[in-house]
Amino acid sequence: MDLLRFITCGSVDDGKSTLIGRLLYDSDSVSLDILAALENKPTVHGTVDLALLTDGLRAEREQGITIDVAYKYFTTPRRKFIITDAPGHVQYTRNMVTGASNADLAIVLVDARLGVIEQTRRHSMVAALLGIRHFVLAVNKMDLVGYSQEVFDQIVADYAEVAKQLRLTNIKAIPLSALHGDNIVERSTHLTWYNGPSLLEHLESVPATEEASVQESRFQVQYVIRPQTDELPDYRGYAGRIQSGTYRKGDKVTVLPSGIETAIEAIEINQQEVETAVAPQSVILRLADDVDVSRGDSIVPVKQVPHITRELEATLCWMAEAPLRGGRKFLLQHHSALVKASLPTILYKIDVQTFTHVATDEAKLNDIVRVRLKTAAPIVADPYRQNRDSGSFILVDEQTGNTVAAGLIEATDPELFTEAEPGALAFSI
Amino acid sequence: MSTSHLDYLDRLEAEAIHIMREVAGQFERPALLFSGGKDSIVLTRLAEKAFRPGRFPFPLVHVDTGHNFPEVLAYRDELAARLGEKLIVRKVEDTIKQRGLRDATGKFPSRNPLQTYTLLDVIEEFEFDACIGGARRDEEKARAKERIFSVRDEFGQWDPKRQRPELWNVYNGKIQKGENVRVFPISNWTELDVWRYIQRENIALPSIYFGHERTCVVLPSGQLLGLSEHLQLDETDEIVQRQVRYRTVGDSTCTAAVESNASTIDDIIEDLLLAKVSERGATRLDDNISEAGMEDRKRNGYF
Ligand SMILES: Nc1nc2c(ncn2[C@@H]2O[C@H](COP(=O)(O)OP(=O)(O)O)[C@@H](O)[C@H]2O)c(=O)[nH]1
Ligand SMILES: [Mg+2]
């Protein structure tokens, strides 16, 4: 059985919470006591309000809205699913970025009466930016448009425009009614003109991410294990997670950023030696030579050494209340590596409606901007488009310790840095 | 070679080990909160996988309510001895005396709310900067919104509106003086995942998790509560002998048993697949009190 992580996105009241509630309910993942608690609550429709299954905080229940990212789980005989429910309010784009960062698939919800709106474009862009490969265009509330094929077809055609601009390739459009359960788990009897799978059937059949093992191999040291006991006086194990690719015993490797070459003497999982290990396994690597390696260092195959850099071009989603301006300093956390960084320039902002470059010298909360960064020590990274794991980082405010930006590396080689071109399409690379 | 042969349990395990190692790498004085329950037992197995052949970079800390199941205490001591790791025990009983608190009273005198004081005291005593716990997001609606690295202020309070965004698998453990972080490596596991992992790893559990005969009080809700010296029963209470097992272990005065003949992990998994009542719903008496019960307790420093 494998694992699929997906995010639901859409505007307020498109029916995200109801959809998730319906998936859990119809796949028998909701317990009786939780249902009983729901049934004791008055609802507008006089039926159980499935949205209450996900709206967990008091303020949410009182205001009938979803404030923060919530995680839900369900399992079918084919898969375990991790659902991220990200709220739709404009001001909560940062939550959507958070949810999308770990997702393999995005369900973009559209209200059949409203069709493709501003928020649909914004959410699709964020999902695309964060590297999600699979999209479901879920046209909800079909019951309110008489289950009309015409309405559905028009929305699909409108969305095709968005998809083209964002270069999305893997889109499945499904007409449904979350409230009534049409095409969620069972195929709907009201939508006889639709011959495709139900939402759950589709979710069970899309390939879960596997590409991590065919990328260049990346491993970052989290912790050095040194028992220093009588039995193991000289043992040094480098504990970490394989971020991408495959590692084999005997592989010639380079320790970065020092650049020292050595070989993998042993790979250990659960105190057993193994011949090979793949992403995303957590392992211990032992090296043939006694070299100086510490937390944050990378160990990569000699033939797959990335560009080592102190200068980055990156796309940031700004997540703090106070606006960002050029010249600020931060801590840059690149997984287990932590370095000081300065941000001399904001190149441009991406307009979330037109997906084009807009000149700016500041980023406000929820803005998506292209920037240059300088780091105090070299970092070992890849462009995000090549590697979602080694291409991602966060910026941390030195004073408060808060996470203030999500960062996606665009280029590590100054020769590949770009210039702002006001009006240019941001996804034309 | 593809990664597709990795089972979902392998992926959950790899994620949990990664999180534990981040704790080891980022903090100076972490601790693993050990309750003796199945989730924290799974955490110790994950810690072995994360740190052997080295020692754990943290002690096990048990906040002892005094309302324990004796089997669980015996298990705790055996486990700590087998692992050869340091175990710190702090008793709610002592906190009550030291702080002049009022002990829990009533018919089912749960010390769950009092646990928070002992926990905050032990954090202060050892200056723990990170506490690893076995909470899961599927347990409860407020937990479903909590981060894996959850920053608490010096009073241990959780503020859901001020949570840091948690992106990819980058865990931000930067804190200011007085703050600490609660870390939940098995956030993404469900109850069923935990049992399937216990089965796969062949992990021994305290006997109360399996079907056994026990003298119980029948509650008005129909739930069964194991008889103990701490309960203040009335004449009219119905006492029965039943074949039961526990789905969670907590304060014995507020943790109900479920009727079950399950004698192996396989039986328990089968039970669970048929079970239609959530873990908390089946076994916790004190969450039912208010809709926002857990949210309030977390805000006040509870785990
Ligand atoms: N008629 C109809 N109403 C729906 C459907 N899905 C959701 N709703 C209603 O739309 C409203 C908003 O739903 P909710 O799930 O809270 O939306 P969210 O803000 O996206 O989470 C609620 O009143 C739902 O009952 C649907 O398929 N048909
Ligand atoms: Mg909602």
Side-chain angles (χ1 to χ4, degrees):
Chain A
M1 190 157 69
D2 61 11
L3 181 65
L4 187 85
R5 297 178 191 243
F6 67 88
I7 178 173
T8 50
C9 29
S11 314
V12 190
D13 284 348
D14 280 350
K16 287 179 306 300
S17 300
T18 310
L19 179 88
I20 293 173
R22 175 59 72 180
L23 268 176
L24 299 175
Y25 183 81
D26 284 0
S27 63
D28 283 334
S29 310
V30 184
S31 307
L32 288 178
D33 56 315
I34 293 175
L35 275 185
L38 289 186
E39 276 157 7
N40 287 331
K41 300 227 170 63
T43 66
V44 200
H45 301 279
T47 50
V48 174
D49 186 352
L50 293 172
L52 293 172
L53 283 174
T54 62
D55 296 342
L57 303 175
R58 183 175 9 227
E60 295 175 303
R61 288 189 297 274
E62 283 168 5
Q63 298 165 37
I65 54 160
T66 313
I67 290 175
D68 203 338
V69 183
Y71 300 89
K72 288 280 155 186
Y73 306 86
F74 73 105
T75 308
T76 69
R78 301 198 46 184
R79 257 186 189 161
K80 174 177 166 112
F81 294 95
I82 301 183
I83 315 174
T84 308
D85 182 15
H89 310 61
V90 190
Q91 68 270 36
Y92 287 121
T93 296
R94 69 172 214 168
N95 289 339
M96 156 104 212
V97 171
T98 304
S101 71
N102 281 318
D104 307 311
L105 177 146
I107 298 181
V108 179
L109 236 80
V110 170
D111 183 327
R113 296 168 303 176
L114 307 174
V116 174
I117 57 169
E118 249 183 63
Q119 290 280 347
T120 319
R121 291 178 66 84
R122 173 185 278 260
H123 291 143
S124 301
M125 190 203 97
V126 172
L129 185 74
L130 273 284
I132 292 178
R133 300 279 161 85
H134 301 279
F135 284 77
V136 175
L137 177 67
V139 182
N140 190 31
K141 307 199 185 181
M142 287 300 293
D143 55 305
L144 297 180
V145 295
Y147 295 101
S148 156
Q149 180 173 9
E150 245 171 274
V151 171
F152 177 74
D153 288 346
Q154 185 58 51
I155 292 171
V156 172
D158 291 345
Y159 193 73
E161 278 303 304
V162 180
K164 200 169 124 202
Q165 289 175 328
L166 294 176
R167 311 201 149 208
L168 309 181
T169 46
N170 241 313
I171 305 161
K172 177 80 201 158
I174 304 177
L176 42 90
S177 166
L179 190 64
H180 300 294
D182 293 288
N183 273 347
I184 305 293
V185 170
E186 302 292 337
R187 294 194 195 182
S188 165
T189 49
H190 296 112
L191 293 155
T192 44
W193 46 266
Y194 169 79
N195 295 318
S198 72
L199 178 63
L200 184 63
E201 284 171 339
H202 181 68
L203 293 175
E204 282 188 318
S205 65
V206 295
T209 40
E210 276 155 38
E211 65 269 18
S213 65
V214 299
Q215 293 167 323
E216 298 204 318
S217 300
R218 299 286 180 259
F219 172 94
Q220 216 186 18
V221 177
Q222 291 183 268
Y223 187 69
V224 182
I225 293 178
R226 296 183 60 191
Q228 295 176 304
T229 53
D230 291 344
E231 304 90 73
L232 295 167
D234 302 318
Y235 180 104
R236 282 178 83 94
Y238 301 107
R241 191 175 50 90
I242 299 180
Q243 298 173 281
S244 60
T246 305
Y247 283 78
R248 285 180 201 79
K249 182 177 171 161
D251 278 355
K252 297 232 173 311
V253 291
T254 306
V255 177
L256 298 169
S258 68
I260 297 168
E261 291 188 9
T262 175
I264 295 179
E265 183 176 87
I267 304 174
E268 292 175 22
I269 294 178
N270 193 24
Q271 294 186 261
Q272 306 278 318
E273 285 200 20
V274 296
E275 287 296 313
T276 51
V278 297
Q281 285 180 305
S282 285
V283 301
I284 292 173
L285 298 184
R286 283 193 286 119
L287 301 178
D289 302 291
D290 204 1
V291 293
D292 185 24
V293 184
S294 48
R295 176 174 161 85
D297 288 354
S298 287
I299 299 174
V300 307
V302 286
K303 294 211 172 89
Q304 298 180 358
V305 174
H307 194 93
I308 314 255
T309 183
R310 288 188 192 208
E311 270 186 274
L312 291 174
E313 189 167 308
T315 299
L316 294 185
C317 174
W318 186 247
M319 298 182 155
E321 298 286 342
L324 164 73
R325 290 198 187 81
R328 254 189 83 174
K329 290 197 169 58
F330 301 95
L331 289 172
L332 185 154
Q333 188 178 351
H334 179 240
H335 300 267
S336 60
L338 190 67
V339 296
K340 286 191 192 252
S342 65
L343 189 150
T345 8
I346 300 178
L347 295 169
Y348 54 84
K349 177 174 135 172
I350 299 176
D351 181 313
V352 294
Q353 289 318 310
T354 60
F355 310 143
T356 53
H357 301 187
V358 180
T360 184
D361 53 11
E362 68 165 28
K364 297 196 193 67
L365 176 66
N366 292 312
D367 276 352
I368 292 167
V369 290
R370 181 73 75 105
V371 300
R372 296 255 169 85
L373 286 156
K374 284 202 166 89
T375 58
I379 77 161
V380 182
D382 295 287
Y384 189 78
R385 272 166 240 265
Q386 280 164 32
N387 197 317
R388 247 176 125 176
D389 207 292
S390 63
S392 52
F393 64 87
I394 60 171
L395 292 182
V396 175
D397 184 290
E398 280 188 286
Q399 239 125 54
T400 62
N402 286 335
T403 303
V404 291
L408 295 79
I409 295 169
E410 300 292 346
T412 52
D413 181 352
E415 292 196 357
L416 301 175
F417 285 0
T418 56
E419 292 304 324
E421 286 176 62
L425 204 56
F427 284 81
S428 56
I429 309 146
Chain B
M1 176 180 247
S2 88
T3 59
S4 58
H5 74 279
L6 289 184
D7 184 62
Y8 83 102
L9 279 180
D10 292 325
R11 289 172 191 273
L12 292 177
E13 179 191 70
E15 176 182 80
I17 294 172
H18 175 243
I19 293 163
M20 287 218 175
R21 288 171 171 171
E22 277 307 286
V23 173
Q26 292 192 38
F27 296 93
E28 275 162 38
R29 277 177 300 279
L32 188 151
L33 298 187
F34 182 82
S35 69
K38 64 182 187 311
D39 299 318
S40 61
I41 292 169
V42 163
L43 288 183
T44 61
R45 170 57 55 93
L46 291 165
E48 285 184 272
K49 294 205 179 195
F51 303 112
R52 293 291 185 247
R55 296 280 307 272
F56 292 1
F58 38 67
L60 310 180
V61 173
H62 183 220
V63 173
D64 180 348
T65 58
H67 292 173
N68 295 295
F69 297 93
E71 298 89 336
V72 175
L73 291 188
Y75 181 98
R76 174 196 74 189
D77 295 337
E78 254 170 60
L79 181 75
R82 181 179 68 71
L83 292 171
E85 300 291 346
K86 185 170 173 194
L87 172 70
I88 296 169
V89 178
R90 288 294 177 272
K91 299 190 159 144
V92 172
E93 195 84 44
D94 296 335
T95 315
I96 293 173
K97 283 190 201 122
Q98 284 155 14
R99 290 183 167 230
L101 299 172
R102 221 171 58 116
D103 198 356
T105 52
K107 194 164 173 179
F108 309 111
S110 163
R111 280 179 172 169
N112 267 351
L114 290 164
Q115 255 182 175
T116 303
Y117 296 103
T118 314
L119 177 61
L120 295 181
D121 285 352
V122 72
I123 289 173
E124 199 175 300
E125 179 184 350
F126 292 93
E127 297 180 48
F128 292 132
D129 46 8
C131 295
I132 300 171
R136 309 186 317 266
R137 286 175 178 151
D138 83 320
E139 282 179 79
E140 206 276 335
K141 285 194 288 186
R143 286 221 200 276
K145 310 231 154 177
E146 192 163 9
R147 304 291 186 253
I148 289 173
F149 269 40
S150 181
V151 180
R152 303 297 179 93
D153 66 15
E154 59 188 310
F155 308 104
Q157 297 180 101
W158 179 60
D159 181 351
K161 286 207 164 163
R162 288 196 45 210
Q163 296 201 94
R164 291 174 180 170
E166 197 157 75
L167 296 132
W168 298 286
N169 37 37
V170 184
Y171 301 104
N172 175 0
K174 202 98 200 131
I175 47 173
Q176 290 170 293
K177 208 163 166 49
E179 290 178 334
N180 64 77
V181 179
R182 307 284 167 89
V183 178
F184 306 112
I186 59 168
S187 284
N188 287 326
W189 301 38
T190 62
E191 185 186 13
L192 189 59
D193 298 335
V194 169
W195 281 108
R196 287 195 167 137
Y197 190 72
I198 289 168
Q199 177 186 46
R200 187 181 92 168
E201 297 289 313
N202 217 344
I203 298 173
L205 291 181
S207 55
I208 63 163
Y209 277 112
F210 300 96
H212 59 278
E213 196 169 294
R214 189 175 281 266
T215 310
C216 299
V217 190
V218 184
L219 302 177
S221 59
Q223 286 173 304
L224 296 169
L225 198 60
L227 202 60
S228 81
E229 58 191 6
H230 307 294
L231 302 181
Q232 308 289 316
L233 297 185
D234 303 323
E235 297 268 303
T236 52
D237 280 313
E238 189 190 346
I239 309 289
V240 293
Q241 284 289 114
R242 288 287 160 78
Q243 190 70 18
V244 297
R245 69 178 176 85
Y246 285 89
R247 277 173 80 176
T248 64
V249 306
D251 184 319
S252 66
T253 63
C254 70
T255 307
V258 293
E259 278 195 79
S260 170
N261 289 317
S263 60
T264 63
I265 308 270
D266 293 5
D267 295 343
I268 290 174
I269 289 177
E270 198 167 314
D271 251 21
L272 264 183
L273 289 171
L274 298 171
K276 281 279 163 194
V277 179
S278 76
E279 180 176 319
R280 276 189 176 270
T283 61
R284 295 281 166 104
L285 272 53
D286 57 353
D287 278 347
N288 293 336
I289 296 169
S290 96
E291 168 78 9
M294 176 62 84
E295 187 181 337
D296 287 339
R297 281 193 287 142
K298 284 178 99 64
R299 281 174 183 274
N300 291 330
Y302 184 73
F303 215 73

